[in-house]
Amino acid sequence: MTDHSADIFISGGGIAGQVTAAAFAEAGFSVVMADPFTPVVTADDDRSDLRSTAFLQPARQLFDRIGLWPLLKSHAKPLEQLAVIDTVGWPPEVRDRRVFQSDDMGNEPFGWNLMNWVVRREIWDYLQDQPRITALYGTGFRSLVQRTGEIIVTLTNGDIVRARMGIAADGKFSPLREAAGISVSTTRYGQKSLAFTITHDLPHDNISTEIYNEGGPFTIVPLPDIDGQNASAIVWMNKGPRAIELMNMPVAHFEEEMFVRSTGLLGRMHLQGNRSVWPIITQTADQLSSGRVAVVAEAAHALPPIGAQGLNTSLNDVIALLELAESAPDTLGDPPMMQAYGKARASDIARRARVIDLFNRVTRSGDGVMQAVRLIGLKAVHDVAPMRKRVMRAGLGPK
């Protein structure tokens, strides 16, 4: 048993926890981070996160600021255009296609796409050499005592951590959030998403594409080439039973279903590695702090994988919390700081959750009226320049 003392205790060592640790350490704070699982840093491990993330401009700016971008840049593919294709029926019939250009917003891409397991690997390597970070993988959070000026955390291996502030970055079922007494509100849709990587015949031209049809979007996100072949990451949303059917389908049959669902956009698609399946929910914490514990990322909000809002919204939490800590380091974890964090993030989280909830209901619907609304909405958002720019700016998130 070891006693640890730090400015900040972080429960959760996934991407959000890793970035939070790196950001606060770079700002001069000492950090203890604990996670019950060892990091998965290869694509072929059964527990590997095969999803990809399009890190939007604010996230890239954070990575630049804390020294992570040089590690990630060579693994990233810039997203210069976003195409939206509206289809109905099976096989899908294309009704409309609209393309959003990043140069409408300036000289930079919308974002940069990276595989989640690669991000975890690169940041994990980086954390090993950071003297202000104690990373305790293989041991998790067990219990919490809140005091006026500190928290006392007991870990599953018996270690004790004393810290001025706790950060729950430990996912939808966050044990630290629960111990802090923070409840959640959850909406379930009966959907699941498949995540996997493909190679394909035709180039993606750095265009991220969402193809709407009943069950949810089929999203194609560009990746760097794999062994000289065009490559993309796929997130395919469906009703739960259909997702499970696809998950267990023989590869040749699965690839044929992909080709049809994608309208043949990139030619023939070839599965690379495993498929993974993820439940689709909207879940938001009813408050963003309790005592000296703040919740971030999926401990604070879990959103359907639409518009690259999930992990980017999570990193906006980290940015807000970091800015408050840097502006007044002596007040770390004090009630005014925690209240300010809630004020800074609650309205943005609630607004994004409402919009994505509505968007998911419209894009997954097989109802003719809802499909008509979807088509009208797509045309209106794209074809009216001020509205298009406003929506694109809102999607990028706060600067």
Side-chain angles (χ1 to χ4, degrees):
M1 186 180 77
T2 303
D3 287 346
H4 306 272
S5 180
D7 294 315
I8 297 162
F9 168 73
I10 300 172
S11 178
I15 293 175
Q18 288 178 321
V19 173
T20 303
F24 276 90
E26 192 277 336
F29 297 96
S30 57
V31 176
V32 172
M33 179 179 68
D35 191 289
F37 301 105
T38 55
V40 177
V41 295
T42 62
D44 55 2
D45 189 291
D46 288 340
R47 295 184 295 117
S48 185
D49 186 346
L50 301 178
R51 297 171 295 179
S52 70
T53 296
F55 290 99
L56 304 180
Q57 291 174 16
R60 204 291 311 277
Q61 291 161 6
L62 174 64
F63 291 159
D64 261 336
R65 177 182 169 190
I66 63 178
L68 295 179
W69 188 240
L71 308 175
L72 300 174
K73 184 177 180 179
S74 64
H75 304 288
K77 198 69 176 175
L79 306 179
E80 296 165 351
Q81 300 178 58
L82 171 62
V84 178
I85 299 174
D86 189 65
T87 73
V88 292
W90 191 269
E93 175 188 344
V94 176
R95 298 195 300 175
D96 199 54
R97 183 177 188 268
R98 291 291 192 273
V99 179
F100 297 82
Q101 304 280 353
S102 62
D103 56 15
D104 265 1
M105 303 299 297
N107 297 323
E108 289 194 314
F110 287 123
W112 294 261
N113 196 56
L114 293 106
M115 295 302 297
N116 285 6
W117 69 267
V118 172
V119 176
R120 291 198 68 172
R121 180 191 68 196
E122 295 302 310
I123 302 180
W124 165 243
D125 287 343
Y126 170 85
L127 295 181
Q128 306 312 298
D129 298 323
Q130 302 309 305
R132 295 191 184 96
I133 299 173
T134 302
L136 303 175
Y137 280 95
T139 185
F141 168 85
R142 175 179 287 167
S143 65
L144 169 72
V145 175
Q146 297 240 36
R147 290 186 172 175
T148 302
E150 67 175 359
I151 62 170
I152 303 173
V153 171
T154 302
L155 303 179
T156 53
N157 66 352
D159 284 9
I160 303 295
V161 183
R162 294 176 180 269
R164 295 163 61 197
M165 182 172 72
I167 300 176
D170 44 4
K172 299 182 187 74
F173 308 106
S174 167
L176 180 54
R177 181 192 64 211
E178 183 176 341
I182 298 174
S183 57
V184 297
S185 299
T186 304
T187 300
R188 304 185 186 279
Y189 304 99
Q191 291 170 285
K192 297 182 186 296
S193 67
L194 291 179
F196 50 93
T197 301
I198 60 166
T199 54
H200 42 87
D201 294 344
L202 303 178
H204 49 55
D205 295 327
N206 292 348
I207 302 173
S208 181
T209 304
E210 293 185 356
I211 306 174
Y212 300 155
N213 197 278
E214 183 176 355
F218 183 97
T219 302
I220 305 169
V221 189
L223 291 176
D225 289 356
I226 297 176
D227 296 330
Q229 301 178 76
N230 304 304
S232 294
I234 304 295
V235 175
W236 187 357
M237 292 172 60
N238 276 288
K239 295 177 181 178
R242 173 61 170 163
I244 297 302
E245 178 188 6
L246 290 164
M247 178 72 179
N248 296 318
M249 193 174 283
V251 171
H253 189 184
F254 180 74
E255 290 180 342
E256 183 62 29
E257 292 291 295
M258 267 200 295
F259 177 75
V260 174
R261 180 63 179 83
S262 69
T263 70
L265 182 69
L266 297 177
R268 288 291 171 178
M269 298 174 160
H270 310 284
L271 181 66
Q272 301 295 311
N274 299 325
R275 290 162 272 185
S276 60
V277 64
W278 303 83
I280 304 298
I281 65 171
T282 293
Q283 178 177 282
T284 55
D286 296 328
Q287 60 195 73
L288 294 179
S289 67
S290 176
R292 288 183 166 269
V293 174
V295 292
V296 303
E298 287 199 334
H301 44 79
L303 306 174
I306 294 173
Q309 293 302 299
L311 190 48
N312 285 281
T313 303
S314 299
L315 297 185
N316 289 336
D317 301 340
V318 178
I319 292 167
L321 199 58
L322 179 65
E323 288 176 349
L324 288 167
E326 287 184 309
S327 66
D330 293 341
T331 69
L332 185 71
D334 288 353
M337 177 185 166
M338 306 307 261
Q339 291 164 10
Y341 169 61
K343 184 176 180 180
R345 293 297 302 138
S347 61
D348 179 64
I349 292 168
R351 181 170 59 251
R352 290 178 191 278
R354 287 194 301 270
V355 169
I356 293 172
D357 173 85
L358 176 61
F359 197 80
N360 184 41
R361 293 178 189 276
V362 172
T363 58
R364 71 176 181 155
S365 178
D367 178 77
V369 173
M370 293 293 278
Q371 290 179 343
V373 168
R374 185 174 73 205
L375 182 59
I376 292 168
L378 171 60
K379 291 179 177 179
V381 167
H382 179 272
D383 296 349
V384 180
M387 182 180 293
R388 180 175 70 246
K389 292 181 180 181
R390 182 179 178 184
V391 169
M392 290 162 64
R393 188 174 294 110
L396 290 177
K399 291 290 185 182

